[in-house]
Amino acid sequence: MTGHNVEGVAGEEVRLLIERWERLEEEKKGIADDIKDVAAEAKGRGYDIKAMRGIMKIRKKPKEEQQEEAAILEVYMRALGMMV
């Protein structure tokens, strides 16, 4: 029945796409588990996971955007007396 074409849907093609999707979902789960392991290792070594995630978020942005956000944050913190 996998090779049948029903209402314009090719069974074999649909099966292959679904199987590929399922493999990718499994790989994604494996990668998520690996990420958790790295985070646990970093935490076990005394690193601040929240800070590390923040740094990774910043590193994804273009350099110009990083600099602009840092400058704005500094201005606001100075205005609030949080920086000298």
Side-chain angles (χ1 to χ4, degrees):
M1 202 175 221
T2 57
H4 289 94
N5 188 329
V6 180
E7 295 184 29
V9 176
E12 183 69 13
E13 184 176 29
V14 170
R15 183 185 63 77
L16 291 172
L17 288 168
I18 288 172
E19 288 174 355
R20 192 166 117 210
W21 191 338
E22 289 170 336
R23 280 192 305 275
L24 289 170
E25 288 291 339
E26 279 300 311
E27 288 178 30
K28 183 170 73 171
K29 182 189 177 304
I31 290 170
D33 289 343
D34 291 346
I35 291 170
K36 287 178 188 175
D37 291 344
V38 172
E41 180 181 347
K43 185 174 183 177
R45 293 176 184 233
Y47 293 104
D48 185 310
I49 301 306
K50 188 175 178 181
M52 292 177 81
R53 283 194 177 109
I55 290 169
M56 289 169 49
K57 186 176 176 182
I58 291 168
R59 286 169 50 110
K60 289 180 183 179
K61 297 177 183 180
K63 195 70 165 172
E64 301 77 35
E65 190 175 336
Q66 291 177 24
Q67 292 169 340
E68 182 180 338
E69 287 182 9
I72 292 169
L73 184 61
E74 183 178 340
V75 168
Y76 289 1
M77 289 176 73
R78 285 186 190 281
L80 294 170
M82 297 173 69
M83 293 179 73
V84 189

Coordinates of all heavy atoms in Angstrom, one line a residue:
M1 N 0.8 -1.2 0.0 CA 0.0 0.0 0.0 C 0.9 1.3 0.0 O 0.4 2.3 -0.3 CB -0.9 0.0 1.2 CG -2.1 0.9 1.1 SD -3.2 0.7 2.4 CE -4.8 0.7 1.5
T2 N 2.2 1.1 0.3 CA 3.0 2.3 0.4 C 3.2 3.0 -0.9 O 3.5 4.2 -0.9 CB 4.4 2.0 1.0 OG1 5.0 0.9 0.2 CG2 4.3 1.5 2.5
G3 N 3.1 2.3 -2.0 CA 3.3 2.9 -3.3 C 2.1 3.5 -4.0 O 2.2 4.0 -5.0
H4 N 1.0 3.4 -3.3 CA -0.3 3.9 -3.9 C -0.3 5.4 -3.9 O 0.2 6.1 -3.1 CB -1.5 3.3 -3.1 CG -1.7 1.9 -3.3 ND1 -1.2 0.9 -2.4 CD2 -2.3 1.2 -4.3 CE1 -1.5 -0.3 -2.8 NE2 -2.2 -0.2 -4.0
N5 N -1.0 5.8 -4.9 CA -1.3 7.3 -5.1 C -2.8 7.5 -4.8 O -3.6 7.1 -5.6 CB -0.9 7.7 -6.5 CG -1.0 9.2 -6.6 OD1 -1.8 9.9 -6.0 ND2 -0.2 9.8 -7.5
V6 N -3.1 8.1 -3.7 CA -4.5 8.3 -3.2 C -4.7 9.8 -3.1 O -4.1 10.5 -2.4 CB -4.7 7.6 -1.9 CG1 -6.2 7.8 -1.4 CG2 -4.4 6.1 -1.9
E7 N -5.7 10.2 -3.9 CA -6.1 11.7 -3.9 C -4.9 12.6 -4.1 O -4.7 13.6 -3.4 CB -6.9 12.0 -2.6 CG -8.2 11.3 -2.6 CD -9.0 11.7 -1.4 OE1 -8.9 12.8 -0.9 OE2 -9.8 10.8 -0.9
G8 N -4.0 12.2 -5.0 CA -2.8 13.0 -5.3 C -1.7 12.9 -4.3 O -0.7 13.6 -4.4
V9 N -1.8 12.0 -3.3 CA -0.7 11.8 -2.3 C 0.0 10.5 -2.6 O -0.6 9.4 -2.7 CB -1.3 11.8 -0.9 CG1 -0.2 11.5 0.1 CG2 -2.0 13.1 -0.6
A10 N 1.3 10.6 -2.9 CA 2.1 9.4 -3.2 C 2.5 8.8 -1.8 O 3.3 9.4 -1.1 CB 3.3 9.7 -4.0
G11 N 2.0 7.6 -1.5 CA 2.3 7.0 -0.2 C 3.8 6.8 0.1 O 4.2 7.0 1.2
E12 N 4.5 6.3 -0.9 CA 6.0 6.1 -0.6 C 6.7 7.4 -0.3 O 7.5 7.5 0.6 CB 6.6 5.5 -1.9 CG 8.1 5.1 -1.7 CD 8.3 4.0 -0.8 OE1 7.4 3.3 -0.4 OE2 9.5 3.8 -0.4
E13 N 6.4 8.5 -1.0 CA 7.0 9.8 -0.8 C 6.6 10.3 0.6 O 7.5 10.8 1.4 CB 6.6 10.8 -1.8 CG 7.3 12.1 -1.7 CD 6.9 13.1 -2.8 OE1 5.8 13.0 -3.4 OE2 7.8 13.9 -3.1
V14 N 5.4 10.2 1.0 CA 4.9 10.6 2.3 C 5.6 9.8 3.4 O 6.1 10.3 4.4 CB 3.4 10.5 2.5 CG1 2.9 10.7 3.9 CG2 2.7 11.5 1.5
R15 N 5.7 8.5 3.2 CA 6.4 7.6 4.2 C 7.8 8.0 4.4 O 8.3 8.2 5.5 CB 6.3 6.2 3.8 CG 6.9 5.2 4.8 CD 7.0 3.8 4.3 NE 7.8 3.6 3.1 CZ 9.1 3.5 3.1 NH1 9.8 3.7 4.3 NH2 9.8 3.4 2.0
L16 N 8.5 8.3 3.3 CA 9.9 8.7 3.4 C 10.1 10.0 4.1 O 11.0 10.2 4.9 CB 10.6 8.7 1.9 CG 10.7 7.4 1.3 CD1 11.2 7.6 -0.2 CD2 11.7 6.5 2.0
L17 N 9.2 11.0 3.8 CA 9.3 12.3 4.4 C 9.1 12.2 5.9 O 9.8 12.8 6.7 CB 8.3 13.3 3.8 CG 8.7 13.7 2.4 CD1 7.5 14.5 1.7 CD2 9.9 14.6 2.4
I18 N 8.1 11.4 6.3 CA 7.8 11.2 7.7 C 8.9 10.5 8.4 O 9.3 10.9 9.5 CB 6.5 10.4 7.9 CG1 5.3 11.3 7.5 CG2 6.3 9.9 9.3 CD1 3.9 10.6 7.4
E19 N 9.5 9.5 7.8 CA 10.6 8.8 8.4 C 11.8 9.7 8.6 O 12.5 9.7 9.6 CB 11.0 7.5 7.6 CG 10.0 6.4 7.7 CD 10.3 5.2 6.8 OE1 11.2 5.3 6.0 OE2 9.5 4.2 6.9
R20 N 12.1 10.5 7.6 CA 13.2 11.5 7.7 C 12.9 12.5 8.8 O 13.8 12.8 9.6 CB 13.3 12.2 6.4 CG 14.6 13.0 6.3 CD 14.9 13.4 4.8 NE 14.8 14.9 4.8 CZ 14.4 15.6 3.7 NH1 14.0 15.0 2.6 NH2 14.5 16.9 3.7
W21 N 11.7 13.0 8.9 CA 11.3 13.9 10.0 C 11.5 13.2 11.3 O 12.1 13.9 12.3 CB 9.9 14.3 9.8 CG 9.3 15.4 10.6 CD1 9.8 15.9 11.8 CD2 8.2 16.2 10.3 NE1 9.1 16.9 12.2 CE2 8.1 17.1 11.3 CE3 7.3 16.2 9.3 CZ2 7.0 18.1 11.4 CZ3 6.3 17.2 9.3 CH2 6.1 18.1 10.3
E22 N 11.1 12.0 11.5 CA 11.2 11.3 12.7 C 12.7 11.1 13.1 O 13.1 11.3 14.3 CB 10.6 9.9 12.6 CG 9.1 10.0 12.6 CD 8.4 8.6 12.3 OE1 9.1 7.7 11.7 OE2 7.2 8.5 12.7
R23 N 13.6 10.8 12.2 CA 15.0 10.7 12.4 C 15.6 12.0 12.9 O 16.4 12.1 13.9 CB 15.8 10.3 11.2 CG 15.7 8.8 10.9 CD 16.7 8.3 9.9 NE 16.6 9.0 8.6 CZ 15.7 8.7 7.6 NH1 14.9 7.7 7.8 NH2 15.7 9.4 6.5
L24 N 15.1 13.1 12.3 CA 15.6 14.4 12.7 C 15.1 14.8 14.1 O 15.9 15.4 14.9 CB 15.2 15.5 11.7 CG 15.9 15.4 10.4 CD1 15.2 16.4 9.3 CD2 17.4 15.8 10.5
E25 N 13.9 14.4 14.4 CA 13.4 14.7 15.8 C 14.2 13.9 16.8 O 14.5 14.4 17.9 CB 11.9 14.3 15.9 CG 11.0 15.2 15.2 CD 10.8 16.6 15.8 OE1 11.1 16.7 17.0 OE2 10.4 17.5 15.1
E26 N 14.6 12.7 16.5 CA 15.5 11.9 17.4 C 16.8 12.5 17.6 O 17.4 12.6 18.7 CB 15.6 10.5 16.9 CG 14.5 9.6 17.2 CD 14.2 9.4 18.7 OE1 15.2 9.1 19.5 OE2 13.1 9.6 19.1
E27 N 17.4 13.0 16.4 CA 18.7 13.7 16.5 C 18.6 15.0 17.4 O 19.5 15.3 18.1 CB 19.2 14.1 15.1 CG 19.6 12.9 14.3 CD 20.1 13.3 12.9 OE1 20.5 14.4 12.7 OE2 19.9 12.4 12.0
K28 N 17.5 15.7 17.2 CA 17.3 16.9 18.0 C 17.2 16.6 19.5 O 17.8 17.3 20.3 CB 16.0 17.6 17.5 CG 15.7 18.9 18.2 CD 14.5 19.6 17.5 CE 13.2 19.0 17.8 NZ 12.1 19.9 17.4
K29 N 16.5 15.5 19.8 CA 16.5 15.1 21.2 C 17.9 14.7 21.7 O 18.2 15.1 22.8 CB 15.5 13.9 21.4 CG 15.4 13.4 22.8 CD 14.6 12.1 22.9 CE 14.5 11.6 24.3 NZ 15.7 11.4 25.0
G30 N 18.6 14.0 20.9 CA 20.0 13.7 21.3 C 20.9 14.9 21.5 O 21.6 15.0 22.5
I31 N 20.7 15.9 20.7 CA 21.5 17.2 20.8 C 21.0 17.9 22.0 O 21.9 18.4 22.8 CB 21.3 18.0 19.5 CG1 22.1 17.3 18.4 CG2 21.9 19.4 19.7 CD1 21.8 18.0 17.0
A32 N 19.7 17.9 22.3 CA 19.2 18.6 23.5 C 19.8 18.0 24.7 O 20.2 18.6 25.7 CB 17.7 18.6 23.5
D33 N 19.9 16.6 24.7 CA 20.5 15.9 25.9 C 22.0 16.3 26.0 O 22.4 16.5 27.1 CB 20.3 14.4 25.7 CG 18.9 13.9 25.9 OD1 18.0 14.7 26.4 OD2 18.6 12.8 25.4
D34 N 22.7 16.4 24.9 CA 24.1 16.8 25.0 C 24.3 18.2 25.5 O 25.2 18.4 26.3 CB 24.7 16.7 23.6 CG 24.8 15.3 23.0 OD1 24.7 14.3 23.8 OD2 25.1 15.1 21.8
I35 N 23.4 19.1 25.1 CA 23.4 20.5 25.6 C 23.2 20.5 27.2 O 23.9 21.2 27.9 CB 22.4 21.4 24.9 CG1 22.8 21.6 23.5 CG2 22.2 22.7 25.6 CD1 21.8 22.2 22.6
K36 N 22.2 19.7 27.6 CA 22.0 19.6 29.1 C 23.2 19.1 29.8 O 23.5 19.5 30.9 CB 20.8 18.7 29.3 CG 19.4 19.3 29.0 CD 18.3 18.3 29.2 CE 17.0 18.8 28.7 NZ 15.9 17.9 28.8
D37 N 23.9 18.1 29.2 CA 25.1 17.5 29.8 C 26.2 18.6 29.9 O 26.9 18.7 30.9 CB 25.6 16.3 29.0 CG 24.7 15.1 29.1 OD1 23.8 15.1 30.0 OD2 24.9 14.2 28.2
V38 N 26.4 19.4 28.9 CA 27.4 20.4 28.9 C 27.0 21.5 30.0 O 27.9 21.9 30.7 CB 27.6 21.1 27.5 CG1 28.5 22.3 27.6 CG2 28.1 20.1 26.5
A39 N 25.8 21.8 30.1 CA 25.3 22.8 31.1 C 25.6 22.3 32.5 O 26.0 23.0 33.4 CB 23.9 23.2 30.9
A40 N 25.2 21.0 32.7 CA 25.5 20.4 34.0 C 26.9 20.3 34.3 O 27.3 20.5 35.5 CB 24.9 18.9 34.0
E41 N 27.8 20.0 33.3 CA 29.2 20.0 33.5 C 29.7 21.4 33.9 O 30.5 21.6 34.9 CB 30.0 19.6 32.3 CG 31.5 19.5 32.4 CD 32.2 19.1 31.2 OE1 31.5 18.6 30.2 OE2 33.4 19.3 31.1
A42 N 29.3 22.4 33.2 CA 29.6 23.8 33.5 C 29.2 24.2 35.0 O 30.0 24.8 35.7 CB 29.1 24.8 32.5
K43 N 28.0 23.8 35.3 CA 27.4 24.1 36.6 C 28.2 23.4 37.7 O 28.6 24.0 38.7 CB 26.0 23.7 36.7 CG 25.3 24.1 38.0 CD 23.8 23.8 38.0 CE 23.2 24.3 39.3 NZ 21.7 24.1 39.3
G44 N 28.6 22.2 37.4 CA 29.4 21.4 38.3 C 30.8 21.9 38.6 O 31.4 21.7 39.6
R45 N 31.3 22.7 37.6 CA 32.6 23.3 37.7 C 32.5 24.7 38.3 O 33.5 25.4 38.4 CB 33.3 23.4 36.4 CG 33.6 22.0 35.8 CD 34.2 22.1 34.5 NE 34.5 20.8 33.9 CZ 35.7 20.4 33.4 NH1 36.7 21.2 33.4 NH2 35.8 19.2 33.0
G46 N 31.2 25.1 38.7 CA 31.0 26.3 39.4 C 30.7 27.5 38.5 O 30.7 28.7 39.0
Y47 N 30.4 27.3 37.3 CA 30.1 28.4 36.4 C 28.6 28.8 36.5 O 27.8 27.9 36.8 CB 30.4 28.1 34.9 CG 31.9 28.0 34.7 CD1 32.5 26.7 34.6 CD2 32.7 29.1 34.6 CE1 33.9 26.6 34.4 CE2 34.1 29.0 34.4 CZ 34.6 27.7 34.3 OH 36.0 27.6 34.1
D48 N 28.3 30.0 36.2 CA 26.9 30.5 36.3 C 26.2 30.3 34.9 O 26.6 30.9 33.9 CB 26.9 32.0 36.6 CG 25.5 32.6 36.8 OD1 24.6 32.4 36.0 OD2 25.3 33.3 37.8
I49 N 25.3 29.3 34.9 CA 24.7 28.9 33.7 C 23.8 30.0 33.1 O 23.8 30.2 31.8 CB 23.8 27.7 33.9 CG1 24.6 26.5 34.5 CG2 23.0 27.3 32.7 CD1 25.8 26.1 33.6
K50 N 23.2 30.8 33.9 CA 22.3 31.9 33.4 C 23.2 32.9 32.7 O 22.9 33.4 31.6 CB 21.6 32.6 34.6 CG 20.6 33.6 34.1 CD 19.8 34.1 35.3 CE 18.8 35.2 34.9 NZ 18.1 35.7 36.1
A51 N 24.4 33.2 33.3 CA 25.3 34.2 32.6 C 25.8 33.6 31.3 O 25.9 34.3 30.3 CB 26.5 34.5 33.6
M52 N 26.1 32.3 31.3 CA 26.7 31.7 30.1 C 25.6 31.7 29.0 O 25.9 32.0 27.8 CB 27.1 30.3 30.4 CG 28.4 30.2 31.3 SD 28.9 28.5 31.7 CE 29.8 28.1 30.2
R53 N 24.4 31.5 29.3 CA 23.3 31.5 28.3 C 23.1 33.0 27.8 O 22.9 33.2 26.6 CB 22.0 31.1 28.9 CG 21.9 29.6 29.0 CD 20.4 29.1 29.3 NE 20.4 27.7 29.3 CZ 20.2 27.0 30.4 NH1 20.0 27.6 31.6 NH2 20.2 25.6 30.4
G54 N 23.3 33.9 28.7 CA 23.2 35.3 28.3 C 24.3 35.7 27.3 O 24.1 36.4 26.3
I55 N 25.5 35.2 27.6 CA 26.7 35.5 26.7 C 26.4 34.8 25.3 O 26.7 35.4 24.3 CB 28.0 35.0 27.3 CG1 28.3 35.8 28.5 CG2 29.1 34.9 26.3 CD1 29.4 35.3 29.4
M56 N 25.9 33.6 25.3 CA 25.6 32.9 24.1 C 24.6 33.7 23.2 O 24.7 33.8 22.0 CB 25.2 31.5 24.3 CG 26.3 30.6 24.8 SD 25.8 29.0 25.4 CE 24.8 28.4 24.2
K57 N 23.6 34.2 23.9 CA 22.6 35.0 23.2 C 23.2 36.3 22.6 O 22.9 36.6 21.5 CB 21.5 35.4 24.2 CG 20.3 36.1 23.6 CD 19.2 36.3 24.7 CE 18.1 37.1 24.1 NZ 17.0 37.4 25.1
I58 N 24.1 36.9 23.3 CA 24.8 38.1 22.8 C 25.6 37.7 21.6 O 25.7 38.5 20.6 CB 25.6 38.8 24.0 CG1 24.7 39.4 25.0 CG2 26.5 39.8 23.4 CD1 25.4 39.8 26.3
R59 N 26.4 36.6 21.7 CA 27.3 36.2 20.7 C 26.6 35.9 19.3 O 27.2 36.0 18.3 CB 28.1 35.0 21.1 CG 29.2 35.4 22.2 CD 29.8 34.2 22.8 NE 30.3 33.2 21.9 CZ 31.6 32.9 21.6 NH1 32.5 33.6 22.3 NH2 31.9 32.0 20.8
K60 N 25.3 35.6 19.4 CA 24.6 35.3 18.2 C 24.3 36.6 17.4 O 24.0 36.5 16.2 CB 23.3 34.6 18.5 CG 23.4 33.2 19.0 CD 22.0 32.6 19.3 CE 22.2 31.2 19.8 NZ 20.8 30.6 20.1
K61 N 24.4 37.7 18.0 CA 24.0 39.0 17.4 C 25.2 39.6 16.7 O 26.3 39.4 17.0 CB 23.5 40.0 18.4 CG 22.2 39.5 19.1 CD 21.8 40.5 20.2 CE 20.6 40.0 20.9 NZ 20.2 40.9 22.0
P62 N 24.9 40.4 15.6 CA 26.0 41.1 14.9 C 26.8 42.0 15.9 O 26.2 42.5 16.9 CB 25.3 41.9 13.9 CG 24.0 41.3 13.7 CD 23.6 40.7 15.0
K63 N 28.1 42.2 15.7 CA 28.9 43.0 16.6 C 28.3 44.4 16.8 O 28.3 44.9 17.9 CB 30.3 43.2 15.9 CG 31.3 43.6 16.9 CD 31.6 42.6 17.9 CE 32.9 42.9 18.7 NZ 33.1 42.0 19.8
E64 N 27.8 45.0 15.7 CA 27.2 46.4 15.8 C 26.0 46.4 16.8 O 25.9 47.3 17.6 CB 26.8 46.9 14.5 CG 27.9 47.0 13.4 CD 28.2 45.7 12.8 OE1 27.3 44.8 12.6 OE2 29.4 45.4 12.5
E65 N 25.2 45.4 16.7 CA 24.0 45.3 17.6 C 24.5 45.1 19.0 O 23.9 45.7 20.0 CB 23.1 44.2 17.1 CG 21.8 44.1 17.8 CD 20.8 43.1 17.2 OE1 21.0 42.7 16.1 OE2 19.9 42.7 18.0
Q66 N 25.5 44.3 19.2 CA 26.0 44.0 20.6 C 26.5 45.4 21.2 O 26.2 45.7 22.3 CB 27.2 43.1 20.5 CG 26.9 41.7 20.2 CD 28.1 40.8 20.1 OE1 29.2 41.1 20.7 NE2 28.1 39.7 19.3
Q67 N 27.3 46.1 20.4 CA 27.8 47.4 20.9 C 26.7 48.4 21.2 O 26.7 49.1 22.2 CB 28.8 48.0 19.9 CG 30.0 47.1 19.7 CD 30.9 47.5 18.6 OE1 30.4 48.2 17.6 NE2 32.2 47.1 18.6
E68 N 25.7 48.5 20.3 CA 24.6 49.4 20.6 C 23.8 49.0 21.8 O 23.5 49.9 22.7 CB 23.6 49.3 19.4 CG 22.5 50.3 19.5 CD 21.5 50.2 18.3 OE1 22.0 49.8 17.2 OE2 20.4 50.6 18.4
E69 N 23.5 47.8 22.0 CA 22.8 47.3 23.2 C 23.6 47.6 24.5 O 23.1 48.0 25.5 CB 22.4 45.9 23.1 CG 21.3 45.6 22.2 CD 20.9 44.2 22.1 OE1 21.3 43.4 22.9 OE2 20.1 43.8 21.2
A70 N 24.9 47.3 24.4 CA 25.8 47.6 25.6 C 25.8 49.1 25.9 O 25.8 49.4 27.1 CB 27.2 47.0 25.3
A71 N 25.9 49.9 24.9 CA 25.9 51.4 25.1 C 24.6 51.9 25.8 O 24.7 52.7 26.7 CB 26.2 52.1 23.8
I72 N 23.5 51.4 25.3 CA 22.2 51.8 25.8 C 22.1 51.3 27.3 O 21.6 52.1 28.1 CB 21.1 51.2 24.9 CG1 21.1 51.9 23.6 CG2 19.7 51.4 25.6 CD1 20.1 51.3 22.6
L73 N 22.5 50.1 27.5 CA 22.4 49.5 28.9 C 23.3 50.3 29.8 O 22.8 50.7 30.9 CB 22.9 48.0 28.9 CG 22.8 47.3 30.2 CD1 21.4 47.2 30.7 CD2 23.4 45.9 30.0
E74 N 24.5 50.7 29.4 CA 25.3 51.5 30.2 C 24.7 52.9 30.5 O 24.7 53.4 31.7 CB 26.7 51.7 29.5 CG 27.7 52.5 30.4 CD 29.0 52.7 29.7 OE1 29.4 51.9 28.8 OE2 29.8 53.6 30.2
V75 N 24.1 53.5 29.5 CA 23.5 54.8 29.7 C 22.3 54.7 30.7 O 22.2 55.5 31.7 CB 22.9 55.4 28.4 CG1 22.0 56.6 28.6 CG2 24.1 55.8 27.5
Y76 N 21.5 53.7 30.6 CA 20.4 53.5 31.5 C 20.9 53.2 32.9 O 20.4 53.7 33.9 CB 19.5 52.4 31.1 CG 18.6 52.7 29.8 CD1 18.7 53.9 29.2 CD2 17.8 51.8 29.3 CE1 18.0 54.2 28.1 CE2 17.0 52.0 28.2 CZ 17.1 53.3 27.6 OH 16.3 53.5 26.5
M77 N 21.9 52.4 33.0 CA 22.4 52.0 34.4 C 23.1 53.2 35.0 O 22.9 53.4 36.2 CB 23.5 50.9 34.3 CG 22.8 49.5 33.9 SD 24.0 48.2 33.7 CE 24.5 47.9 35.4
R78 N 23.7 54.1 34.3 CA 24.3 55.3 34.8 C 23.2 56.2 35.3 O 23.3 56.8 36.4 CB 25.2 56.0 33.8 CG 26.5 55.4 33.6 CD 27.4 56.2 32.7 NE 28.6 55.5 32.3 CZ 29.7 55.4 33.0 NH1 29.7 55.9 34.2 NH2 30.7 54.7 32.6
A79 N 22.1 56.3 34.5 CA 21.0 57.2 34.9 C 20.3 56.7 36.2 O 19.8 57.5 36.9 CB 19.9 57.2 33.8
L80 N 20.4 55.4 36.4 CA 19.8 54.8 37.7 C 20.8 54.8 38.8 O 20.5 54.3 39.9 CB 19.3 53.4 37.4 CG 18.1 53.3 36.4 CD1 17.9 51.9 36.0 CD2 16.9 53.9 37.1
G81 N 22.0 55.3 38.6 CA 23.0 55.3 39.6 C 23.6 53.9 39.9 O 24.2 53.7 41.0
M82 N 23.5 53.1 38.9 CA 24.0 51.7 39.1 C 25.5 51.6 38.7 O 26.1 50.6 39.0 CB 23.2 50.7 38.3 CG 21.7 50.6 38.8 SD 20.7 49.6 37.8 CE 21.3 48.0 38.1
M83 N 26.0 52.6 38.0 CA 27.4 52.6 37.5 C 27.9 54.0 37.9 O 27.2 55.0 37.9 CB 27.5 52.4 36.0 CG 27.1 51.0 35.6 SD 27.3 50.8 33.8 CE 29.0 50.8 33.6
V84 N 29.2 54.0 38.1 CA 29.9 55.3 38.4 C 30.6 55.8 37.2 O 31.1 55.2 36.4 CB 30.9 55.2 39.5 CG1 31.3 56.6 40.0 CG2 30.3 54.4 40.7

